[in-house]
Amino acid sequence: MCGIVTAISTADIVPVLLEGLRKLEYRGYDSAGLAIVSNGRLARLRAAGRVAELAALAEREHASARIGIAHTRWATHGVPSERNAHPHISGGLAVVHNGIIENFEAIKSALQARGYVFESDTDTEAIAHLIHSKLAAGADLFEAVRLATNELHGAYAIAVLAEAEPERAVVARSGAPLLLGVGEHGMYAASDTAALLQVTRQVIYLEDGDVAELRLASHRIVRPDGSSVEREIHLSSLSADAVELGQFRHYMQKEIFEQPQALAQTLEIITGGGSVAPQLFGARALEVLGGVQRVLVLACGTSYHAGLVARYWLESVAKVPCSVEIASEYRYRDSVPDPDTLVVVISQSGETADTLAALKHAIAQGMQRTLAICNVPESAIVREASLRFITRAGPEIGVASTKAFTTQLAALALLTLTLAKLAGRLPEEQEARHLQNLRHLPVAVQKVLELEPEIERWAQRFAAKQHALFLGRGRHWPIAMEGALKLKEISYIHAEAYAAGELKHGPLALVDRDMPVIAVAPADELLEKLKSNLQEVRARGGELYVFADAGSEIPESEGVHILHMPEHYGMLSPVLHVVPLQLLSYHAALVKGTDVDKPRNLAKSVTVE
Ligand code: F6R
């Protein structure tokens, strides 16, 4: 969480910093700030709230400079306020930071003992004073940052600016993303490429432990021991359109509607191919996947739900036992490691601290067969795993994950087929049928998107509700969970999901005419069981909203509203059924007038525990 931008240029960098922050706002949006050196003086501007507040302040103050650092915050230490907003200052030095410094209390006490006075509640201020103490001891800025970062424990990406050295900025990273941008008119750094597309496509991915100096026409990178290192310049293929809203009102809406394209891109690797191959998962796939006896999926939030769907697929198609765990639980649990288990981590961002830590924990326990399913190729999680599958959903900006989820499911379907094939459990004609369904998936999802007007009407009724219950069975139970998560996340309506068979074991007590019950009703082998569960709801006066496949024969009646989905889509049906639930929460949030793309208290990349 938190976004960082740094710029040094021949032209005014304030508009570059602000535009960069706007692109990074998805990472955190409770306060923003910048520091510049202008006419030899360090100036700092900070505002509680969105980047727009900071931009207005910068305009009022006529801020302009050739060098600066900027930050958009998601609060960890200290409430969201101007006082806690970055940059933090020590003498003539300013620091912005993304991450968490675990030993900041110890650093703070030591610095306080030396007379440093802290003005904020943040861990970042400790970094500022620590670097200042190194400068005071005679180090230059580059060296001071390197020495200071050697004392930090935890995750950080930082950018530092000093009044006394206005010809350079220094940045460093460990465990939080940061890349350099090599521009025609200057050097830049940011938390992601999207923030820099306005000035350059040439990017350098910094490695953990790198400390880099940015000058107008050059850069230098050193390792923690001070030795110099060269890093390759990459030409980013990210298109500016991919991060623009275009005709849509919100990124979430855009991303829901991009799903056919995102799926087509993710599944491009099987276009035309008559069979699945382990190599889809990387060069070492045969060695890593061969002999796998079990699968353990580790993930958080929506990505965890993708794992839960995959459990049904892996066990029913590949006959491989699978367990799925919330990463934040697994990392601290005494579990029984098994070297023949494939550890699959799923993450849109590839930065989620708990998922990364869970992966490292599994590896440390001797589980070397690891696969990352991720949407960000250069992310920490991808680098850590031995195999990778990069979903090609394109940048997901809306905080609520949508197209990342469906492309994760596509990747997990390919994994299921691959493991089934390696185990000799996928007859050729079944493989051909599955592949055909996968290739057709973008078209099938497109059809579901056409239901939007009807869902919009339903959403009107939902928006007035305080609570909602989601029901599903089998591989659609995780889809009910995902529907509930989406609804609470962006509309703030309290929602819970249950396996429909569990209803009578407790939650049925909640059902009355004020509790809308949303049912995911595919025409699969559990349909009749689900119908009985829906009767139980109706008998208690509960109002049902049913997403029913063609042929499911659930009649519309008083208190039973049916939305007619296309024909049942077999194993891949969860991919189709999640789409109307995404649309339902989107439209309910619109009616309620919440901030759809930036729901309160949340951020896109959860890089802290
Ligand atoms: C919900 C949502 C979150 C993320 C979770 C994991 O819409 O987006 O629940 O799924 O924070 O994030 P990643 O997938 O980046 O690891």
Side-chain angles (χ1 to χ4, degrees):
M1 9 261 278
C2 300
I4 290 179
V5 195
T6 303
I8 172 165
S9 167
T10 51
D12 182 14
I13 48 76
V14 172
V16 176
L17 295 179
L18 291 171
E19 179 55 20
L21 289 187
R22 279 185 204 105
K23 290 286 183 290
L24 294 177
E25 234 181 347
Y26 72 90
R27 302 181 63 86
Y29 36 84
D30 58 44
S31 55
L34 59 81
I36 51 179
V37 178
S38 179
N39 300 322
R41 301 297 304 270
L42 184 74
R44 169 173 69 168
L45 300 178
R46 298 185 296 175
R50 300 289 161 85
V51 172
E53 310 291 331
L54 178 68
L57 179 63
E59 197 174 330
R60 283 199 300 280
E61 298 289 326
H62 305 291
S64 122
R66 306 263 186 259
I67 187 165
I69 59 176
H71 187 265
T72 179
R73 179 170 187 249
W74 187 86
T76 57
H77 295 67
V79 296
S81 66
E82 189 183 325
R83 190 172 70 90
N84 287 327
H86 300 207
H88 290 283
I89 282 189
S90 183
L93 177 105
V95 175
V96 293
H97 164 224
N98 167 28
I100 284 197
I101 303 304
E102 286 161 7
N103 59 337
F104 95 98
E105 295 281 11
I107 295 174
K108 184 173 174 177
S109 306
L111 289 166
Q112 279 172 326
R114 293 173 57 186
Y116 281 97
V117 176
F118 283 71
E119 290 172 354
S120 74
D121 308 317
T122 66
D123 51 346
T124 306
E125 198 179 351
I127 308 178
H129 293 316
L130 185 62
I131 298 172
H132 185 273
S133 71
K134 307 291 176 199
L135 283 174
D140 70 2
L141 185 64
F142 197 21
E143 184 66 357
V145 174
R146 185 183 71 79
L147 293 173
T149 50
N150 277 344
E151 293 179 29
L152 303 179
H153 299 166
Y156 60 81
I158 58 170
V160 190
L161 188 62
E163 188 175 271
E165 301 188 41
E167 71 293 344
R168 63 175 170 180
V170 178
V171 299
R173 71 154 281 192
S174 181
L178 194 67
L179 48 88
L180 305 186
V182 183
E184 220 178 299
H185 304 290
M187 283 291 303
Y188 309 87
S191 304
D192 83 16
T193 316
L196 298 185
L197 283 181
Q198 51 169 332
V199 280
T200 186
R201 290 190 166 278
Q202 299 194 85
V203 296
I204 297 169
Y205 298 105
L206 294 179
E207 300 276 340
D208 278 352
D210 283 355
V211 182
E213 172 195 75
L214 282 67
R215 289 177 180 267
L216 196 53
S218 66
H219 70 276
R220 191 154 59 103
I221 305 171
V222 297
R223 299 295 298 151
D225 64 1
S227 58
S228 289
V229 66
E230 293 290 327
R231 301 260 176 249
E232 212 181 317
I233 298 183
H234 299 261
L235 196 62
S236 168
S237 57
L238 184 63
S239 87
D241 283 359
V243 290
E244 295 300 337
L245 253 186
Q247 60 180 30
F248 293 96
R249 270 178 85 176
H250 295 98
Y251 281 106
M252 183 180 179
Q253 186 190 28
K254 177 179 186 246
E255 287 154 10
I256 290 172
F257 278 85
E258 277 174 349
Q259 288 180 108
Q261 188 196 343
L263 284 164
Q265 279 166 197
T266 301
L267 292 166
E268 202 180 289
I269 34 171
I270 54 156
T271 322
S275 60
V276 283
Q279 287 71 18
L280 295 176
F281 298 92
R284 291 184 50 216
L286 206 50
E287 172 200 334
V288 175
L289 298 182
V292 157
Q293 299 298 319
R294 271 164 296 279
V295 171
L296 168 64
V297 179
L298 302 170
C300 304
T302 289
S303 298
Y304 167 72
H305 295 157
L308 290 176
V309 173
R311 179 160 71 102
Y312 287 89
W313 291 345
L314 284 160
E315 298 212 344
S316 68
V317 179
K319 307 287 177 213
V320 179
C322 174
S323 50
V324 187
E325 272 204 59
I326 292 171
S328 55
E329 285 297 311
Y330 175 78
R331 64 182 287 194
Y332 293 118
R333 191 170 73 78
D334 275 338
S335 52
V336 183
D338 169 20
D340 293 331
T341 292
L342 174 69
V343 178
V344 179
V345 279
I346 310 173
S347 174
Q348 184 285 130
S349 61
E351 281 184 47
T352 304
D354 283 321
T355 309
L356 179 60
L359 172 60
K360 288 184 174 168
H361 178 67
I363 294 170
Q365 296 207 87
M367 295 167 80
Q368 301 301 329
R369 301 169 189 262
T370 56
L371 162 68
I373 294 177
C374 188
N375 199 34
V376 181
E378 291 297 329
S379 58
I381 285 174
V382 169
R383 288 164 192 228
E384 200 69 35
S386 44
L387 299 183
R388 60 178 60 186
F389 185 99
I390 305 300
T391 50
R392 294 176 59 203
E396 193 179 65
I397 312 264
V399 163
S401 189
T402 52
K403 62 177 180 172
F405 178 70
T406 42
T407 53
Q408 286 166 354
L409 289 179
L412 289 160
L414 288 175
L415 178 67
T416 302
L417 299 182
T418 304
L419 291 181
K421 195 165 176 181
L422 283 173
R425 296 192 186 105
L426 190 66
E428 255 175 49
E429 47 127 355
Q430 268 187 37
E431 180 179 4
R433 188 164 39 79
H434 283 303
L435 285 175
Q436 194 185 351
N437 284 345
L438 272 167
R439 288 192 202 103
H440 184 70
L441 197 55
V443 177
V445 168
Q446 187 64 49
K447 241 331 333 75
V448 179
L449 287 168
E450 288 165 17
L451 299 171
E452 189 185 30
E454 222 170 314
I455 297 169
E456 221 175 320
R457 283 194 289 278
W458 276 19
Q460 300 285 342
R461 299 193 222 167
F462 266 84
K465 303 285 182 189
Q466 302 286 327
H467 308 276
L469 209 54
F470 284 69
L471 301 179
R473 291 195 78 131
R475 56 187 180 262
H476 295 83
W477 172 33
I479 295 305
M481 294 166 87
E482 176 58 10
L485 176 61
K486 286 285 97 85
L487 190 69
K488 63 186 134 191
E489 188 181 14
I490 60 164
S491 75
Y492 316 149
I493 297 171
H494 172 228
E496 296 296 334
Y498 279 92
E502 272 292 289
L503 208 54
K504 54 190 167 297
H505 300 292
L508 202 53
L510 292 171
V511 171
D512 63 13
R513 53 201 305 223
D514 295 324
M515 171 74 87
V517 178
I518 298 107
V520 183
D524 64 6
E525 58 288 354
L526 290 169
L527 180 65
E528 292 311 316
K529 303 278 174 209
L530 179 79
K531 282 182 183 174
S532 310
N533 303 137
L534 300 188
Q535 292 296 343
E536 292 159 11
V537 172
R538 255 333 271 151
R540 273 87 191 166
E543 190 155 18
L544 281 165
Y545 294 83
V546 186
F547 293 89
D549 282 356
S552 59
E553 289 175 5
I554 305 177
E556 181 116 20
S557 60
E558 207 200 319
V560 183
H561 313 281
I562 308 290
L563 193 127
H564 297 281
M565 294 281 290
E567 271 181 19
H568 183 54
Y569 207 71
M571 168 182 142
L572 296 170
S573 166
V575 184
L576 265 52
H577 267 277
V578 77
V579 174
L581 301 185
Q582 296 168 342
L583 284 168
L584 183 66
S585 33
Y586 172 69
H587 284 289
L590 268 194
V591 178
K592 288 197 73 178
T594 59
D595 193 340
V596 173
D597 284 334
K598 300 187 188 82
R600 68 185 178 205
N601 308 338
L602 300 179
K604 186 74 186 160
S605 303
V606 189
T607 52
V608 296
E609 268 196 81

